[in-house]
mmCIF file of all heavy atoms in Angstrom:
data_model
loop_
_atom_site.group_PDB
_atom_site.id
_atom_site.type_symbol
_atom_site.label_atom_id
_atom_site.label_comp_id
_atom_site.label_asym_id
_atom_site.label_seq_id
_atom_site.Cartn_x
_atom_site.Cartn_y
_atom_site.Cartn_z
ATOM 1 N N GLU K 435 87.196 99.633 67.443
ATOM 2 C CA GLU K 435 86.765 100.408 66.341
ATOM 3 C C GLU K 435 85.440 99.874 65.697
ATOM 4 O O GLU K 435 84.636 100.519 65.205
ATOM 5 C CB GLU K 435 87.775 100.542 65.235
ATOM 6 C CG GLU K 435 89.107 101.180 65.685
ATOM 7 C CD GLU K 435 90.070 100.153 66.287
ATOM 8 O OE1 GLU K 435 89.688 98.995 66.513
ATOM 9 O OE2 GLU K 435 91.285 100.514 66.465
ATOM 10 N N GLY K 436 85.357 98.477 65.851
ATOM 11 C CA GLY K 436 84.220 97.816 65.236
ATOM 12 C C GLY K 436 82.941 97.901 66.097
ATOM 13 O O GLY K 436 81.830 97.773 65.642
ATOM 14 N N ASP K 437 83.096 98.096 67.434
ATOM 15 C CA ASP K 437 82.042 98.162 68.378
ATOM 16 C C ASP K 437 82.456 99.137 69.497
ATOM 17 O O ASP K 437 83.150 98.795 70.419
ATOM 18 C CB ASP K 437 81.761 96.794 68.994
ATOM 19 C CG ASP K 437 80.429 96.754 69.823
ATOM 20 O OD1 ASP K 437 79.960 97.878 70.091
ATOM 21 O OD2 ASP K 437 79.956 95.725 70.111
ATOM 22 N N LEU K 438 81.983 100.378 69.292
ATOM 23 C CA LEU K 438 82.378 101.442 70.201
ATOM 24 C C LEU K 438 81.887 101.238 71.641
ATOM 25 O O LEU K 438 82.317 101.976 72.589
ATOM 26 C CB LEU K 438 81.922 102.822 69.677
ATOM 27 C CG LEU K 438 82.500 103.209 68.297
ATOM 28 C CD1 LEU K 438 81.880 104.543 67.921
ATOM 29 C CD2 LEU K 438 83.971 103.245 68.364
ATOM 30 N N ARG K 439 81.059 100.229 71.855
ATOM 31 C CA ARG K 439 80.596 99.959 73.212
ATOM 32 C C ARG K 439 81.499 99.093 73.983
ATOM 33 O O ARG K 439 81.349 98.829 75.169
ATOM 34 C CB ARG K 439 79.136 99.308 73.097
ATOM 35 C CG ARG K 439 78.121 100.196 72.543
ATOM 36 C CD ARG K 439 76.841 99.473 72.306
ATOM 37 N NE ARG K 439 77.063 98.406 71.392
ATOM 38 C CZ ARG K 439 76.072 97.431 71.054
ATOM 39 N NH1 ARG K 439 74.871 97.555 71.593
ATOM 40 N NH2 ARG K 439 76.425 96.521 70.168
ATOM 41 N N LYS K 440 82.523 98.510 73.263
ATOM 42 C CA LYS K 440 83.428 97.516 73.930
ATOM 43 C C LYS K 440 84.832 98.141 74.041
ATOM 44 O O LYS K 440 85.245 98.810 73.149
ATOM 45 C CB LYS K 440 83.434 96.236 73.065
ATOM 46 C CG LYS K 440 82.095 95.514 73.019
ATOM 47 C CD LYS K 440 82.123 94.341 72.098
ATOM 48 C CE LYS K 440 83.131 93.282 72.542
ATOM 49 N NZ LYS K 440 83.099 92.197 71.636
ATOM 50 N N ASN K 441 85.502 97.751 75.068
ATOM 51 C CA ASN K 441 86.910 98.138 75.408
ATOM 52 C C ASN K 441 87.694 96.810 75.476
ATOM 53 O O ASN K 441 87.264 95.770 75.998
ATOM 54 C CB ASN K 441 87.099 98.903 76.578
ATOM 55 C CG ASN K 441 86.406 100.268 76.513
ATOM 56 O OD1 ASN K 441 86.417 100.860 75.437
ATOM 57 N ND2 ASN K 441 86.101 100.831 77.682
ATOM 58 N N TYR K 442 88.906 96.887 74.988
ATOM 59 C CA TYR K 442 89.881 95.795 75.158
ATOM 60 C C TYR K 442 91.035 96.365 75.996
ATOM 61 O O TYR K 442 91.240 97.635 76.059
ATOM 62 C CB TYR K 442 90.403 95.095 73.943
ATOM 63 C CG TYR K 442 91.064 96.066 72.972
ATOM 64 C CD1 TYR K 442 92.473 96.260 73.012
ATOM 65 C CD2 TYR K 442 90.369 96.674 71.983
ATOM 66 C CE1 TYR K 442 93.146 97.120 72.077
ATOM 67 C CE2 TYR K 442 91.025 97.619 71.146
ATOM 68 C CZ TYR K 442 92.424 97.756 71.148
ATOM 69 O OH TYR K 442 92.995 98.563 70.253
ATOM 70 N N TYR K 443 91.838 95.496 76.664
ATOM 71 C CA TYR K 443 92.774 96.003 77.660
ATOM 72 C C TYR K 443 94.197 95.371 77.350
ATOM 73 O O TYR K 443 94.351 94.213 77.037
ATOM 74 C CB TYR K 443 92.338 95.580 79.087
ATOM 75 C CG TYR K 443 91.000 96.145 79.447
ATOM 76 C CD1 TYR K 443 89.808 95.638 79.072
ATOM 77 C CD2 TYR K 443 90.962 97.397 80.153
ATOM 78 C CE1 TYR K 443 88.614 96.145 79.408
ATOM 79 C CE2 TYR K 443 89.701 97.933 80.543
ATOM 80 C CZ TYR K 443 88.644 97.343 80.115
ATOM 81 O OH TYR K 443 87.369 97.873 80.502
ATOM 82 N N ARG K 444 95.154 96.233 77.492
ATOM 83 C CA ARG K 444 96.549 95.905 77.429
ATOM 84 C C ARG K 444 97.535 96.937 77.997
ATOM 85 O O ARG K 444 97.023 98.054 78.299
ATOM 86 C CB ARG K 444 96.960 95.632 75.876
ATOM 87 C CG ARG K 444 96.866 96.854 75.041
ATOM 88 C CD ARG K 444 97.370 96.602 73.611
ATOM 89 N NE ARG K 444 96.839 95.443 72.960
ATOM 90 C CZ ARG K 444 96.592 95.381 71.663
ATOM 91 N NH1 ARG K 444 96.908 96.395 70.930
ATOM 92 N NH2 ARG K 444 96.077 94.342 71.131
ATOM 93 N N TYR K 445 98.759 96.624 78.057
ATOM 94 C CA TYR K 445 99.646 97.647 78.555
ATOM 95 C C TYR K 445 99.925 98.658 77.528
ATOM 96 O O TYR K 445 100.010 98.444 76.294
ATOM 97 C CB TYR K 445 101.022 96.992 78.910
ATOM 98 C CG TYR K 445 101.049 96.068 80.092
ATOM 99 C CD1 TYR K 445 101.697 94.811 80.091
ATOM 100 C CD2 TYR K 445 100.326 96.417 81.257
ATOM 101 C CE1 TYR K 445 101.711 93.946 81.155
ATOM 102 C CE2 TYR K 445 100.354 95.496 82.347
ATOM 103 C CZ TYR K 445 100.990 94.341 82.341
ATOM 104 O OH TYR K 445 100.996 93.443 83.330
ATOM 105 N N SER K 446 100.119 99.903 77.955
ATOM 106 C CA SER K 446 100.419 100.984 76.977
ATOM 107 C C SER K 446 101.889 100.959 76.613
ATOM 108 O O SER K 446 102.293 101.485 75.542
ATOM 109 C CB SER K 446 100.168 102.367 77.656
ATOM 110 O OG SER K 446 100.935 102.492 78.859
ATOM 111 N N ASP K 447 102.730 100.179 77.338
ATOM 112 C CA ASP K 447 104.150 99.969 76.982
ATOM 113 C C ASP K 447 104.275 98.531 76.627
ATOM 114 O O ASP K 447 104.093 97.657 77.437
ATOM 115 C CB ASP K 447 105.020 100.291 78.203
ATOM 116 C CG ASP K 447 106.448 100.152 77.985
ATOM 117 O OD1 ASP K 447 106.834 99.603 76.821
ATOM 118 O OD2 ASP K 447 107.314 100.435 78.845
ATOM 119 N N ALA K 448 104.623 98.200 75.354
ATOM 120 C CA ALA K 448 104.725 96.834 74.881
ATOM 121 C C ALA K 448 105.783 96.078 75.551
ATOM 122 O O ALA K 448 105.845 94.849 75.506
ATOM 123 C CB ALA K 448 104.944 96.834 73.386
ATOM 124 N N ASN K 449 106.807 96.776 76.177
ATOM 125 C CA ASN K 449 107.871 96.073 76.782
ATOM 126 C C ASN K 449 107.736 95.903 78.335
ATOM 127 O O ASN K 449 108.594 95.351 78.936
ATOM 128 C CB ASN K 449 109.217 96.968 76.586
ATOM 129 C CG ASN K 449 109.584 97.018 75.097
ATOM 130 O OD1 ASN K 449 109.489 95.996 74.387
ATOM 131 N ND2 ASN K 449 109.988 98.186 74.625
ATOM 132 N N TYR K 450 106.610 96.344 78.831
ATOM 133 C CA TYR K 450 106.363 96.289 80.249
ATOM 134 C C TYR K 450 105.964 94.842 80.739
ATOM 135 O O TYR K 450 105.291 94.158 79.930
ATOM 136 C CB TYR K 450 105.300 97.206 80.643
ATOM 137 C CG TYR K 450 104.991 97.187 82.121
ATOM 138 C CD1 TYR K 450 105.690 97.935 83.050
ATOM 139 C CD2 TYR K 450 103.892 96.341 82.626
ATOM 140 C CE1 TYR K 450 105.350 97.936 84.335
ATOM 141 C CE2 TYR K 450 103.603 96.358 84.039
ATOM 142 C CZ TYR K 450 104.330 97.101 84.825
ATOM 143 O OH TYR K 450 104.035 97.091 86.258
ATOM 144 N N SER K 451 106.476 94.420 81.840
ATOM 145 C CA SER K 451 106.062 93.161 82.466
ATOM 146 C C SER K 451 105.837 93.425 83.958
ATOM 147 O O SER K 451 106.698 94.024 84.622
ATOM 148 C CB SER K 451 107.145 92.102 82.278
ATOM 149 O OG SER K 451 106.729 91.000 83.047
ATOM 150 N N TYR K 452 104.765 92.994 84.430
ATOM 151 C CA TYR K 452 104.406 93.207 85.854
ATOM 152 C C TYR K 452 105.483 92.460 86.778
ATOM 153 O O TYR K 452 105.616 92.954 87.947
ATOM 154 C CB TYR K 452 103.048 92.524 86.078
ATOM 155 C CG TYR K 452 102.446 92.991 87.449
ATOM 156 C CD1 TYR K 452 101.979 94.350 87.649
ATOM 157 C CD2 TYR K 452 102.262 92.023 88.504
ATOM 158 C CE1 TYR K 452 101.399 94.696 88.850
ATOM 159 C CE2 TYR K 452 101.775 92.425 89.756
ATOM 160 C CZ TYR K 452 101.309 93.740 89.895
ATOM 161 O OH TYR K 452 100.750 94.126 91.121
ATOM 162 N N TRP K 453 106.136 91.378 86.303
ATOM 163 C CA TRP K 453 107.005 90.658 87.145
ATOM 164 C C TRP K 453 108.482 90.982 86.833
ATOM 165 O O TRP K 453 109.325 90.411 87.524
ATOM 166 C CB TRP K 453 106.719 89.124 86.978
ATOM 167 C CG TRP K 453 105.339 88.841 87.240
ATOM 168 C CD1 TRP K 453 104.297 88.548 86.288
ATOM 169 C CD2 TRP K 453 104.635 88.711 88.506
ATOM 170 N NE1 TRP K 453 103.111 88.316 86.929
ATOM 171 C CE2 TRP K 453 103.307 88.419 88.308
ATOM 172 C CE3 TRP K 453 105.102 88.862 89.766
ATOM 173 C CZ2 TRP K 453 102.405 88.209 89.337
ATOM 174 C CZ3 TRP K 453 104.166 88.662 90.872
ATOM 175 C CH2 TRP K 453 102.840 88.394 90.585
ATOM 176 N N GLU K 454 108.699 91.742 85.914
ATOM 177 C CA GLU K 454 110.093 92.048 85.575
ATOM 178 C C GLU K 454 110.435 93.565 85.712
ATOM 179 O O GLU K 454 111.293 94.095 85.001
ATOM 180 C CB GLU K 454 110.455 91.518 84.159
ATOM 181 C CG GLU K 454 110.230 90.083 84.012
ATOM 182 C CD GLU K 454 110.352 89.621 82.573
ATOM 183 O OE1 GLU K 454 110.810 90.474 81.694
ATOM 184 O OE2 GLU K 454 110.317 88.464 82.352
ATOM 185 N N LYS K 455 109.810 94.237 86.557
ATOM 186 C CA LYS K 455 110.114 95.654 86.843
ATOM 187 C C LYS K 455 111.460 95.787 87.523
ATOM 188 O O LYS K 455 111.761 94.964 88.431
ATOM 189 C CB LYS K 455 109.008 96.270 87.725
ATOM 190 C CG LYS K 455 107.548 96.092 87.118
ATOM 191 C CD LYS K 455 106.564 96.856 88.015
ATOM 192 C CE LYS K 455 106.453 96.379 89.380
ATOM 193 N NZ LYS K 455 105.916 94.958 89.422
ATOM 194 N N PRO K 456 112.264 96.747 87.173
ATOM 195 C CA PRO K 456 113.453 96.960 87.859
ATOM 196 C C PRO K 456 113.095 97.431 89.337
ATOM 197 O O PRO K 456 112.244 98.214 89.582
ATOM 198 C CB PRO K 456 114.184 98.109 87.095
ATOM 199 C CG PRO K 456 113.070 98.742 86.352
ATOM 200 C CD PRO K 456 112.054 97.730 86.053
ATOM 201 N N ILE K 457 113.938 96.971 90.283
ATOM 202 C CA ILE K 457 113.707 97.277 91.661
ATOM 203 C C ILE K 457 114.159 98.706 91.917
ATOM 204 O O ILE K 457 115.159 99.201 91.343
ATOM 205 C CB ILE K 457 114.298 96.398 92.643
ATOM 206 C CG1 ILE K 457 115.824 96.439 92.479
ATOM 207 C CG2 ILE K 457 113.813 94.961 92.418
ATOM 208 C CD1 ILE K 457 116.591 95.592 93.589
ATOM 209 N N THR K 458 113.549 99.468 92.762
ATOM 210 C CA THR K 458 113.884 100.841 93.117
ATOM 211 C C THR K 458 115.006 100.795 94.180
ATOM 212 O O THR K 458 115.335 99.754 94.788
ATOM 213 C CB THR K 458 112.704 101.562 93.727
ATOM 214 O OG1 THR K 458 112.330 100.947 94.965
ATOM 215 C CG2 THR K 458 111.487 101.519 92.785
ATOM 216 N N ASP K 459 115.632 101.985 94.408
ATOM 217 C CA ASP K 459 116.691 102.108 95.384
ATOM 218 C C ASP K 459 116.173 101.664 96.754
ATOM 219 O O ASP K 459 116.852 101.028 97.518
ATOM 220 C CB ASP K 459 117.148 103.551 95.429
ATOM 221 C CG ASP K 459 118.009 103.826 94.134
ATOM 222 O OD1 ASP K 459 118.432 102.852 93.465
ATOM 223 O OD2 ASP K 459 118.135 105.008 93.917
ATOM 224 N N GLN K 460 114.891 102.070 97.108
ATOM 225 C CA GLN K 460 114.311 101.734 98.392
ATOM 226 C C GLN K 460 114.120 100.276 98.501
ATOM 227 O O GLN K 460 114.369 99.597 99.539
ATOM 228 C CB GLN K 460 113.049 102.521 98.658
ATOM 229 C CG GLN K 460 112.453 102.328 100.075
ATOM 230 C CD GLN K 460 113.379 102.646 101.156
ATOM 231 O OE1 GLN K 460 114.011 103.791 101.137
ATOM 232 N NE2 GLN K 460 113.620 101.789 102.059
ATOM 233 N N GLU K 461 113.634 99.654 97.394
ATOM 234 C CA GLU K 461 113.371 98.150 97.410
ATOM 235 C C GLU K 461 114.724 97.471 97.590
ATOM 236 O O GLU K 461 114.803 96.454 98.253
ATOM 237 C CB GLU K 461 112.665 97.731 96.197
ATOM 238 C CG GLU K 461 111.202 98.162 96.062
ATOM 239 C CD GLU K 461 110.603 97.926 94.737
ATOM 240 O OE1 GLU K 461 111.327 97.908 93.685
ATOM 241 O OE2 GLU K 461 109.351 97.743 94.634
ATOM 242 N N ARG K 462 115.772 97.990 96.920
ATOM 243 C CA ARG K 462 117.044 97.381 97.095
ATOM 244 C C ARG K 462 117.584 97.465 98.553
ATOM 245 O O ARG K 462 118.110 96.416 99.024
ATOM 246 C CB ARG K 462 118.109 98.008 96.142
ATOM 247 C CG ARG K 462 119.522 97.404 96.157
ATOM 248 C CD ARG K 462 120.415 98.126 95.128
ATOM 249 N NE ARG K 462 119.841 97.894 93.783
ATOM 250 C CZ ARG K 462 120.140 96.824 93.077
ATOM 251 N NH1 ARG K 462 120.960 95.895 93.533
ATOM 252 N NH2 ARG K 462 119.657 96.702 91.899
ATOM 253 N N LYS K 463 117.319 98.571 99.188
ATOM 254 C CA LYS K 463 117.756 98.713 100.608
ATOM 255 C C LYS K 463 116.981 97.777 101.470
ATOM 256 O O LYS K 463 117.534 97.061 102.345
ATOM 257 C CB LYS K 463 117.527 100.137 101.084
ATOM 258 C CG LYS K 463 118.450 101.141 100.381
ATOM 259 C CD LYS K 463 118.163 102.544 100.882
ATOM 260 C CE LYS K 463 119.084 103.563 100.220
ATOM 261 N NZ LYS K 463 118.746 104.985 100.613
ATOM 262 N N ASP K 464 115.647 97.638 101.227
ATOM 263 C CA ASP K 464 114.817 96.748 101.971
ATOM 264 C C ASP K 464 115.251 95.260 101.826
ATOM 265 O O ASP K 464 115.248 94.490 102.803
ATOM 266 C CB ASP K 464 113.301 96.818 101.579
ATOM 267 C CG ASP K 464 112.736 98.215 101.890
ATOM 268 O OD1 ASP K 464 113.377 98.922 102.824
ATOM 269 O OD2 ASP K 464 111.690 98.630 101.365
ATOM 270 N N LEU K 465 115.643 94.886 100.570
ATOM 271 C CA LEU K 465 116.069 93.542 100.290
ATOM 272 C C LEU K 465 117.369 93.240 100.981
ATOM 273 O O LEU K 465 117.546 92.069 101.577
ATOM 274 C CB LEU K 465 116.181 93.257 98.801
ATOM 275 C CG LEU K 465 114.897 93.024 98.093
ATOM 276 C CD1 LEU K 465 115.170 93.067 96.564
ATOM 277 C CD2 LEU K 465 114.300 91.640 98.402
ATOM 278 N N ILE K 466 118.333 94.193 101.008
ATOM 279 C CA ILE K 466 119.525 94.010 101.759
ATOM 280 C C ILE K 466 119.299 93.766 103.218
ATOM 281 O O ILE K 466 119.958 92.972 103.926
ATOM 282 C CB ILE K 466 120.508 95.277 101.473
ATOM 283 C CG1 ILE K 466 120.958 95.230 100.019
ATOM 284 C CG2 ILE K 466 121.677 95.129 102.492
ATOM 285 C CD1 ILE K 466 121.746 96.475 99.664
ATOM 286 N N GLY K 467 118.369 94.572 103.773
ATOM 287 C CA GLY K 467 118.019 94.426 105.149
ATOM 288 C C GLY K 467 117.459 93.099 105.507
ATOM 289 O O GLY K 467 117.707 92.476 106.491
ATOM 290 N N ALA K 468 116.478 92.633 104.540
ATOM 291 C CA ALA K 468 115.867 91.335 104.700
ATOM 292 C C ALA K 468 116.941 90.206 104.606
ATOM 293 O O ALA K 468 116.924 89.194 105.432
ATOM 294 C CB ALA K 468 114.804 91.074 103.727
ATOM 295 N N MET K 469 117.858 90.275 103.724
ATOM 296 C CA MET K 469 118.896 89.303 103.539
ATOM 297 C C MET K 469 119.815 89.338 104.772
ATOM 298 O O MET K 469 120.259 88.203 105.244
ATOM 299 C CB MET K 469 119.770 89.625 102.322
ATOM 300 C CG MET K 469 119.038 89.403 100.977
ATOM 301 S SD MET K 469 119.962 90.037 99.559
ATOM 302 C CE MET K 469 121.501 89.241 99.690
ATOM 303 N N THR K 470 120.137 90.435 105.313
ATOM 304 C CA THR K 470 120.953 90.464 106.586
ATOM 305 C C THR K 470 120.249 89.803 107.659
ATOM 306 O O THR K 470 120.891 88.976 108.457
ATOM 307 C CB THR K 470 121.264 91.924 106.902
ATOM 308 O OG1 THR K 470 121.950 92.622 105.873
ATOM 309 C CG2 THR K 470 122.038 92.062 108.202
ATOM 310 N N THR K 471 118.927 89.961 107.814
ATOM 311 C CA THR K 471 118.248 89.242 108.889
ATOM 312 C C THR K 471 118.177 87.777 108.644
ATOM 313 O O THR K 471 118.414 87.009 109.510
ATOM 314 C CB THR K 471 116.745 89.792 108.938
ATOM 315 O OG1 THR K 471 116.793 91.218 109.165
ATOM 316 C CG2 THR K 471 115.999 89.157 110.046
ATOM 317 N N LEU K 472 117.906 87.363 107.361
ATOM 318 C CA LEU K 472 117.981 85.939 106.978
ATOM 319 C C LEU K 472 119.278 85.262 107.313
ATOM 320 O O LEU K 472 119.303 84.190 107.819
ATOM 321 C CB LEU K 472 117.668 85.735 105.506
ATOM 322 C CG LEU K 472 116.144 85.774 105.124
ATOM 323 C CD1 LEU K 472 116.082 85.711 103.561
ATOM 324 C CD2 LEU K 472 115.434 84.682 105.723
ATOM 325 N N SER K 473 120.332 85.979 107.074
ATOM 326 C CA SER K 473 121.715 85.438 107.312
ATOM 327 C C SER K 473 121.905 85.087 108.795
ATOM 328 O O SER K 473 122.756 84.266 109.125
ATOM 329 C CB SER K 473 122.808 86.258 106.736
ATOM 330 O OG SER K 473 122.859 87.508 107.456
ATOM 331 N N SER K 474 121.210 85.804 109.657
ATOM 332 C CA SER K 474 121.334 85.591 111.078
ATOM 333 C C SER K 474 120.766 84.288 111.536
ATOM 334 O O SER K 474 121.136 83.757 112.505
ATOM 335 C CB SER K 474 120.613 86.732 111.916
ATOM 336 O OG SER K 474 121.064 87.988 111.526
ATOM 337 N N PHE K 475 119.920 83.688 110.653
ATOM 338 C CA PHE K 475 119.266 82.401 110.990
ATOM 339 C C PHE K 475 120.109 81.246 110.439
ATOM 340 O O PHE K 475 119.815 80.097 110.671
ATOM 341 C CB PHE K 475 117.899 82.374 110.445
ATOM 342 C CG PHE K 475 116.921 83.119 111.122
ATOM 343 C CD1 PHE K 475 116.641 84.436 110.775
ATOM 344 C CD2 PHE K 475 116.293 82.634 112.289
ATOM 345 C CE1 PHE K 475 115.716 85.192 111.444
ATOM 346 C CE2 PHE K 475 115.276 83.388 112.927
ATOM 347 C CZ PHE K 475 115.062 84.740 112.544
ATOM 348 N N SER K 476 121.228 81.614 109.647
ATOM 349 C CA SER K 476 121.970 80.555 108.962
ATOM 350 C C SER K 476 122.537 79.614 110.032
ATOM 351 O O SER K 476 123.195 80.000 111.005
ATOM 352 C CB SER K 476 123.087 81.193 108.155
ATOM 353 O OG SER K 476 123.868 80.212 107.542
ATOM 354 N N GLY K 477 122.343 78.308 109.792
ATOM 355 C CA GLY K 477 122.827 77.329 110.701
ATOM 356 C C GLY K 477 121.845 76.881 111.811
ATOM 357 O O GLY K 477 122.083 75.896 112.484
ATOM 358 N N ALA K 478 120.900 77.648 111.975
ATOM 359 C CA ALA K 478 119.825 77.330 113.026
ATOM 360 C C ALA K 478 118.924 76.126 112.470
ATOM 361 O O ALA K 478 118.759 76.031 111.256
ATOM 362 C CB ALA K 478 118.972 78.457 113.367
#
């Protein structure tokens, strides 16, 4: 408001965090698949 030539930047949602987003159903499925593959290496 004090200088219309300048912009400042922030999230439109005050509760948002780039690193704390809830995972989607597809991301959950992908993680389960990755964990299953990882478990196959257990003991190697």
Side-chain angles (χ1 to χ4, degrees):
E435 302 87 347
D437 188 345
L438 298 180
R439 296 171 299 176
K440 295 174 62 177
N441 290 332
Y442 59 91
Y443 298 82
R444 64 173 51 148
Y445 292 136
S446 58
D447 181 356
N449 297 316
Y450 179 85
S451 171
Y452 193 71
W453 304 102
E454 297 178 5
K455 304 185 297 293
I457 63 173
T458 65
D459 289 341
Q460 184 58 50
E461 288 171 335
R462 185 177 294 275
K463 291 178 182 178
D464 291 341
L465 282 170
I466 292 173
M469 289 168 60
T470 300
T471 302
L472 277 176
S473 68
S474 302
F475 288 91
S476 179

